[in-house]
Amino acid sequence: GEAIGGVADDANGLWLVLFNGNFLDARHIVDSTVIGVLPVQSALPVNVASSSRGTIRFSRAGDKIAIATESPAGSWWADFDKVTGTVASPWRQVHTAPGYSLDFSPNGNMLYVPFSSTNGPAWNADRIRQHDLINNTNVDLAFSASGIALGPDDRVYFAPYGVASLGVISNPNVGGGANAVQAGVSLGACLTGYNLSKTLFLESLLTPPPPAPTIVTPTEGSLTNDNTPNITGTCETGATVTIREGATT
């Protein structure tokens, strides 16, 4: 399927996961290097078709994983072990309707799953299931959505395809229709796509840019008649700094 997800391992690496038929494949990446020849595998609740649209999401704490698939239809969640990269509990089904997108609340106790009340494709959903993982209860909210995602501001955003606004669940840890609006954030002239994607990054895998060089002497604004003044400053170790005054180097 098209889905791919990732979660930090609480050490210095990242688990990158994707569907592989009956299995969830997890690749461990540390310092931009894939560890091991073969992926770590966990059984999926269904055999996901290679052409299936869907989503893989992790809770913010990384201790839960949720999947939505169009073929075969359904949405599930399970516990996840960040040390081993494996599913750590039986899968629990949230909905039997075709799945497409889903995401957790900030505390990981709620799962939000768009679906069609007529059993149509979930990328054209007219309901959002709010599933309480602790009490195993559901509340179905009458909002349209294609994609849904937890934002960095602890709010859940959702939108149907081709509109100029995002819906907002303001307090997703509590949920309920009173906490949600269909058009909460204007996108101006922009229109939404079919899903709300999330960028995966790990600081240990990124190379920060070096600090910019600085000139210590002569001080800014000072004047000199010396055609070859002594210039001092700071820069990255081993770097070469070229100083120009107009066309003069």
Side-chain angles (χ1 to χ4, degrees):
E2 67 178 10
I4 189 169
V7 63
D9 63 3
D10 275 353
N12 61 344
L14 172 77
W15 288 106
L16 198 63
V17 300
L18 68 158
F19 296 140
N20 182 12
N22 286 310
F23 295 97
L24 185 78
D25 284 0
R27 289 278 190 177
H28 196 205
I29 302 174
V30 178
D31 294 332
S32 303
T33 301
V34 177
I35 306 301
V37 177
L38 298 175
V40 176
Q41 290 190 319
S42 299
L44 287 170
V46 290
N47 186 353
V48 179
S50 60
S51 60
S52 178
R53 287 175 284 235
T55 297
I56 301 171
R57 290 275 165 82
F58 287 90
S59 61
R60 182 170 286 174
D63 59 346
K64 298 181 181 73
I65 183 173
I67 64 172
T69 67
E70 187 176 64
S71 178
S75 303
W76 297 263
W77 75 274
D79 296 326
F80 188 80
D81 188 330
K82 293 188 292 184
V83 176
T84 62
T86 57
V87 173
S89 73
W91 290 94
R92 291 91 153 178
Q93 189 159 25
V94 178
H95 212 301
T96 58
Y100 181 58
S101 184
L102 76 179
D103 211 345
F104 290 94
S105 60
N107 64 9
N109 292 336
M110 295 283 191
L111 184 62
Y112 291 89
V113 185
F115 71 97
S116 169
S117 61
T118 60
N119 213 41
W123 47 261
N124 190 27
D126 61 352
R127 297 288 188 275
I128 299 175
R129 171 154 293 184
Q130 173 192 293
H131 178 70
D132 186 327
L133 279 64
I134 304 301
N135 299 306
N136 194 32
T137 56
N138 299 311
V139 175
D140 292 339
L141 310 176
F143 293 101
S144 298
S146 174
I148 194 165
L150 173 62
D153 59 354
D154 288 350
R155 302 198 294 177
V156 167
Y157 294 88
F158 61 91
Y161 172 77
V163 300
S165 61
L166 295 177
V168 182
I169 302 174
S170 298
N171 189 354
N173 287 337
V174 176
N179 275 312
V181 293
Q182 182 70 63
V185 178
S186 172
L187 300 179
C190 297
L191 298 179
T192 57
Y194 279 109
N195 204 343
L196 298 181
S197 61
K198 303 184 81 169
T199 301
L200 305 173
F201 70 92
L202 196 63
E203 290 184 1
S204 65
L205 303 183
L206 303 178
T207 301
T214 62
I215 296 176
V216 176
T217 60
T219 59
E220 183 177 1
S222 61
L223 301 175
T224 179
N225 292 323
D226 189 345
N227 291 328
T228 57
N230 183 40
I231 298 176
T232 65
T234 63
C235 69
E236 183 184 26
T237 302
T240 299
V241 178
T242 301
I243 300 174
R244 291 184 176 88
E245 174 62 29
T248 304
T249 298

